[in-house]
Amino acid sequence: MDEKQKREFETALLPRVERPGRYCGGEINSVAKDPAACDVRMALIFPDVYEVGMSHLGFTLVYHLVNGIERAACERAFAPWPDMEAELRKSNMPLCSLETGTPLCDFDIVGFTLAYEMGYTNVLTVLDLGGITLRASDRGEGDPLVIAGGCCTFNPEPVADFFDMVALGDGEELVPELIECMRAMKRVGASRADILLAASKIKGIYVPSLYKPVYRDGSFAGMETAPGVPPVVNKRIVEDLDAAFYPAQPIVPGIEAVQDRGRVEIFRGCTRGCRFCHAGMVYRPIRERSPEKVAALAKSIFETTGCEEISLLSFNATDYAALDETLEAIDAFASEMRASVSLPSTRLDTFTSGVGKKLRSVRPSGLTFAPEAGSQRLRDVINKQLSEEEIFNALDAAFRQGWTKVKLYFMIGLPGETDEDIDAIAEMVERMQRMARRAKSKRGKSDFTVSVSTFVPKAHTPFQWHGMDGAESLDRKQKKLVHRLRSTRVKLNTHDIETSVLEGVMSRGDRRISRVIETAWKLGCRFDGWTEQFKYDLWKQAFAEAGLDPDAIAMKVFDNDAPLPWEHINCGVTRKFLMLEKLKSERAMTTEWCENGNRCHGCGLNCKASMQGRAR
Amino acid sequence: MTFSRGWDGRFLSHLDVMRGWSRALRRSRLPLAYSQGFNPKPKVSYLTPPLSVGMTSECEVFETRIELQLPADSVQEMISAAVPQGISLLGAIESPQDKFKYGIVTYLLLLRRGQADIEPILGGFANELASPSAPVSISDCVKFNFGQCRDGHPSQWYDSAFLLECVLTETGGSVSKKIAHELEASRTVFHFHRLNVK
């Protein structure tokens, strides 16, 4: 931004938009390096508003990771809210980084965190306002390399046309390698094509332009690759979390973030094996951070941010072997600082095992249970290993401990679901309420919130071959549940079905969806994950223009031997394992928890072997 | 504590500033007095009325309590090292026994357009203004504690400046808010800076 633009931005634009603090930066612990003293500059983008992006651990991790590298800078930008987008367009001003006000097109690398599919149109807003050509194939020498990372990249095809590169898996080692590659290539004045080729040699980097999808009779039929290009790209795995980078001095957001607290990741991955769960498949194997490292990070974060609460992040925190020991170590200094520790992700058994009960600074964040399905049969189908008895014993213990607020998570539209399964959800909730009444808590009436989301089949899960339930059927099931629970004092949240259908299209779609996303964006779609911004009629128009039917894509059943649009991306879990799990689910057969390799089911990660290797 | 909210902190809300201070005080490692309960917070009370989003100030005052007797200048030193985003600590004194009660707040009003736009607007608030506007030269404004923005002093971006004295009522500094609202409606580019309270 030049001086005149800066004056207009600061005195005219900012005061006119909602929450101008989103576009200001300058936070405690943010890093603004002198551009002249850096060889490689990266803009890191979260395609949603500031408050959401700053709550994402991976986003802040990459930010501090790159800024820890000498003569490399990482600056941030977020998707501007529609009011700011309109202001920028009206004044013909580019979207700039928060740190130094540099237009995005002036960076070497522009990296996006793709955390959920509903942010895809915002990617285009950011590119367009940042002065960057939307399609990778139209970019030329001097344009930034546009790269995506995050959990959506395990099926990157719907957005593959917009990215020069996609980074798969853990970034702690991959991102610095990419920065060094860029530095070396810039030094010799390499061409864009050469940089892409060099980057594609880094393990975990997928270059979509080197892979050409082939379609037969309107269906995806496989990928064509040039000679020398690997047919499958493996995700990157960081073996040792203690040695891996972790932000010990994270940014303190000036305006309140959605998740406004410190956080330490205690382990990565989950091997419980729920068949619907994308994260449970793509983040394998389990890797733990040592209790000493966790405590040291927590101490540093308390001291450098002044936060009053730290969350220990993981899937099922109670699976962490040294949880009690870690909590005690943190409690020792947290209580002195009047700070607390919370465990946002705990299984039901936390309340029966009494984790951290004795420690004054440990606070469970509330009763949040996810039975996912109402009937035992359907829980077996999805391999959610939770018996009726376990659920009610844990709840009974929780009510006796004085808990009154209960949040329950269920899904509808699961494979093989019948009306009895919907009734079973209602019956379970009613039984819990009776239980709460019997416990007659001193703290007053119980307060139940039941969230019913829509099952969306995800790539790289045993349900990847399944079609999504149809919109009409989902609507009927939602209404049935609302009707069944109408007389209870339960707050029932349901998901918007049209949003779910679109998510279904994105999660298993192929590269043809890129065109639809671009059209929808041109028609005006923005912030599709925000209910009040979601414009499904425009999406329908975009699909129609591309000659595609969103319902058909979301409901598509892939044959067992059909090529899948995301199979050139390897998250480590084998097709054979996923297929076996799919076949078992059709017979309502469960697969016991592998206990991280002690009872190995051969998912493909071979974690027992690699863990023993480390122990030796 | 007397602190300023500079140009870089002008879009923080009063709640953001309160949260920022609460964390800054923790970072300072002072032996703070905390509130009781499940979410202990440093005991802080703000003596100046909440500052609106968009405004800067050089006269914000809060009180906090520490559990040890420490000289005011070492407290100031410890807090200065930890101040929140957009904030500078201007001074620390030991609180007097009797509470402050502020009655009049003076604002500096910067405008991008000529004086002609403002007079009728200010005229509408004659009853609530302690004294009507006094023009100030823009070069004088550099003396005030706006904080620096990346390319210099923000007052350079405005053409004229006025002093406004507002009477504080039960509803706080709402006069400045109402004037800001009127100015916004006229699409005038302006900025409020709180100069002092008494």
Side-chain angles (χ1 to χ4, degrees), chain A residues 18 63 84 158 217 266 307 354 356 440 452 554 571 578:
Chain A
E18 196 184 305
Y63 176 77
M84 183 50 128
D217 308 323
I266 54 175
C307 65
K440 275 196 201 107
V452 180
C571 72
L578 295 178

Side-chain angles (χ1 to χ4, degrees), chain A residues 3 6-7 10-12 14-16 20-21 24-28 87 90 98-101 252-257 260-261 302-308 336-339 360 363, chain B residues 7-8 10-13 16-17 19 22-24 26-27 29 32 34-35 37-41 53 67 82-86 112 149-151 154 156-159 184 187 189-190:
Chain A
E3 170 66 17
K6 190 179 160 57
R7 180 175 78 176
E10 297 228 343
T11 62
L14 284 178
R16 279 208 289 266
C24 291
E27 305 94 324
I28 301 288
E87 292 287 347
K90 207 164 60 195
L98 298 188
E99 278 75 5
T100 61
V252 186
I255 62 169
E256 190 170 7
D260 191 35
R261 53 180 78 93
F302 276 132
E303 286 174 354
T304 57
T305 66
C307 65
E308 41 291 288
E336 181 207 330
M337 298 166 88
R338 306 292 204 282
R360 49 137 295 171
R363 282 193 298 152
Chain B
W7 188 252
D8 289 339
R10 70 197 188 285
F11 291 126
L12 299 172
S13 67
D16 293 332
V17 171
R19 201 180 49 252
S22 161
R23 291 183 176 171
R26 283 169 186 274
R27 284 197 299 272
R29 314 302 303 272
L32 302 161
Y34 284 92
S35 62
F38 238 151
N39 294 304
K41 285 193 168 66
V53 173
E67 286 181 333
V83 286
Q85 167 186 1
R112 266 287 288 290
C149 67
R150 280 175 206 126
D151 300 303
Q156 292 162 358
W157 293 342
Y158 297 89
D159 307 322
E184 242 156 56
R187 301 289 276 182
V189 176
F190 64 94

Side-chain angles (χ1 to χ4, degrees), chain B residues 130-146:
Chain B
S131 79
S133 67
V136 175
S137 101
I138 248 332
S139 59
D140 280 343
C141 293
V142 183
K143 289 189 296 214
F144 300 119
N145 201 345
F146 288 104

Side-chain angles (χ1 to χ4, degrees), chain A residues 8-317:
Chain A
E8 190 175 349
F9 186 73
E10 297 228 343
T11 62
L13 263 68
L14 284 178
R16 279 208 289 266
V17 299
E18 196 184 305
R19 292 222 187 197
R22 286 168 170 167
Y23 313 100
C24 291
E27 305 94 324
I28 301 288
N29 298 339
S30 63
V31 185
K33 292 192 181 180
D34 174 11
C38 293
D39 310 318
V40 182
R41 295 178 72 200
M42 174 175 175
L44 186 63
I45 317 292
F46 197 92
D48 207 310
V49 291
Y50 175 90
E51 303 91 299
V52 175
M54 288 308 293
S55 306
H56 191 270
L57 177 61
F59 180 80
T60 31
L61 189 144
V62 173
Y63 176 77
H64 291 289
L65 172 69
V66 175
N67 278 320
I69 302 172
E70 239 177 275
R71 297 187 64 83
C74 186
E75 306 186 13
R76 293 162 298 152
F78 300 86
W81 192 247
D83 61 348
M84 183 50 128
E85 184 188 348
E87 292 287 347
L88 287 171
R89 290 193 189 283
K90 207 164 60 195
S91 337
N92 206 12
M93 243 187 257
L95 182 65
C96 294
S97 65
L98 298 188
E99 278 75 5
T100 61
T102 308
L104 301 186
C105 57
D106 291 345
F107 284 89
D108 301 309
I109 300 170
V110 174
F112 284 84
T113 300
L114 299 184
Y116 33 82
E117 293 89 349
M118 295 299 111
Y120 288 170
T121 51
N122 290 352
V123 171
L124 299 185
T125 312
V126 170
L127 288 174
D128 185 53
L129 287 172
I132 300 166
T133 315
L134 297 186
R135 294 189 158 255
S137 57
D138 299 334
R139 290 182 202 130
E141 302 296 334
D143 284 331
L145 288 175
V146 181
I147 183 164
C151 66
C152 287
T153 57
F154 289 101
N155 178 21
E157 291 309 299
V159 284
D161 280 350
F162 311 123
F163 291 100
D164 297 295
M165 293 185 277
V166 176
L168 304 166
D170 302 331
E172 287 97 333
E173 294 167 359
L174 189 160
V175 175
E177 284 172 29
L178 182 71
I179 297 285
E180 291 318 319
C181 171
M182 192 71 198
R183 196 198 307 265
M185 298 308 276
K186 262 182 90 178
R187 194 178 296 135
V188 297
S191 71
R192 191 175 182 83
D194 285 343
I195 299 175
L196 281 177
L197 201 62
S200 74
K201 306 277 191 261
I202 299 172
K203 190 181 172 197
I205 293 281
Y206 162 55
V207 178
S209 59
L210 303 177
Y211 296 75
K212 196 173 166 286
V214 182
Y215 305 98
R216 215 165 289 133
D217 308 323
S219 290
F220 174 80
M223 282 286 178
E224 258 175 21
T225 51
V229 174
V232 168
V233 187
N234 297 311
K235 79 160 181 200
R236 197 61 181 266
I237 299 172
V238 166
E239 297 259 337
D240 181 0
L241 286 195
D242 274 1
F245 174 82
Y246 193 87
Q249 194 176 332
I251 294 186
V252 186
I255 62 169
E256 190 170 7
V258 178
Q259 300 288 333
D260 191 35
R261 53 180 78 93
R263 41 207 165 179
V264 180
E265 182 198 37
I266 54 175
F267 68 88
R268 196 172 297 178
C270 173
T271 51
R272 289 279 178 163
C274 301
R275 289 173 180 138
F276 56 87
C277 183
H278 184 244
M281 296 293 158
V282 303
Y283 289 130
R284 291 178 181 216
I286 289 235
R287 286 137 301 153
E288 289 197 344
R289 205 164 250 125
S290 69
E292 299 79 37
K293 182 80 182 180
V294 169
L297 285 169
K299 187 159 196 284
S300 166
I301 292 169
F302 276 132
E303 286 174 354
T304 57
T305 66
C307 65
E308 41 291 288
E309 182 184 338
I310 281 186
S311 285
L312 299 185
L313 301 185
S314 65
F315 303 99
N316 315 326

Side-chain angles (χ1 to χ4, degrees), chain A residues 334-574:
Chain A
S335 55
E336 181 207 330
M337 298 166 88
R338 306 292 204 282
S340 61
V341 192
S342 64
L343 298 170
S345 176
T346 47
R347 282 174 66 92
L348 277 168
D349 46 14
T350 321
F351 287 90
T352 36
S353 68
V355 170
K357 229 196 228 164
K358 297 184 295 271
L359 305 173
R360 49 137 295 171
S361 69
V362 178
R363 282 193 298 152
S365 51
L367 279 177
T368 306
F369 295 159
E372 311 290 6
S375 71
Q376 191 60 51
R377 185 196 65 83
L378 198 54
R379 280 197 298 277
D380 289 345
V381 167
I382 62 176
N383 206 39
K384 179 85 192 184
Q385 303 208 4
L386 205 55
S387 70
E388 210 107 306
E389 203 189 333
E390 282 175 286
I391 295 173
F392 289 110
N393 282 349
L395 263 177
D396 192 44
F399 287 139
R400 279 173 210 288
Q401 284 173 35
W403 291 93
T404 52
K405 265 190 146 137
V406 185
K407 253 199 227 165
L408 295 163
Y409 287 90
F410 292 97
M411 277 189 284
I412 56 167
L414 287 162
E417 184 180 68
T418 64
D419 278 15
E420 283 85 75
D421 296 311
I422 305 295
D423 287 332
I425 295 177
E427 280 154 23
M428 183 184 270
V429 173
E430 285 159 1
R431 191 174 151 194
M432 286 176 181
Q433 285 195 303
R434 283 197 298 274
M435 206 164 182
R437 273 198 295 274
R438 267 202 310 277
K440 275 196 201 107
S441 167
K442 286 187 202 91
R443 291 197 221 165
K445 268 201 200 104
S446 61
D447 170 4
F448 276 71
T449 306
V450 178
S451 287
V452 180
S453 62
T454 310
F455 167 70
V456 175
K458 299 274 175 174
H460 303 286
T461 65
F463 291 155
Q464 63 179 352
W465 291 277
H466 280 284
M468 210 174 133
D469 203 353
E472 275 169 38
S473 162
L474 288 168
D475 186 52
R476 191 181 58 81
K477 287 174 182 172
Q478 268 188 6
K479 288 203 173 103
K480 185 177 168 66
L481 200 55
V482 171
H483 185 72
R484 272 293 310 256
L485 291 173
R486 72 191 185 285
S487 56
T488 56
R489 303 166 56 87
V490 167
K491 186 173 185 311
L492 183 66
N493 298 324
T494 53
H495 274 209
D496 177 51
I497 291 168
E498 290 171 341
T499 310
S500 300
V501 170
L502 190 60
E503 192 189 329
V505 171
M506 300 299 169
S507 68
R508 295 191 309 146
D510 57 46
R511 212 176 281 190
R512 288 173 293 183
I513 306 299
S514 292
R515 192 61 75 185
V516 180
I517 296 171
E518 194 177 333
T519 311
W521 174 78
K522 281 184 178 148
L523 291 171
C525 291
R526 305 287 189 273
F527 288 93
D528 301 296
W530 295 67
T531 316
E532 79 277 17
Q533 298 288 331
F534 185 56
K535 302 177 187 84
Y536 196 56
D537 50 332
L538 298 183
W539 275 102
K540 278 202 283 206
Q541 191 184 334
F543 277 105
E545 279 180 33
L548 296 168
D549 173 8
D551 293 300
I553 299 169
M555 290 169 73
K556 184 179 169 72
V557 179
F558 285 98
D559 289 338
N560 287 355
D561 54 357
L564 304 172
W566 51 89
E567 270 183 320
H568 56 304
I569 305 296
N570 181 18
C571 72
V573 177
T574 61

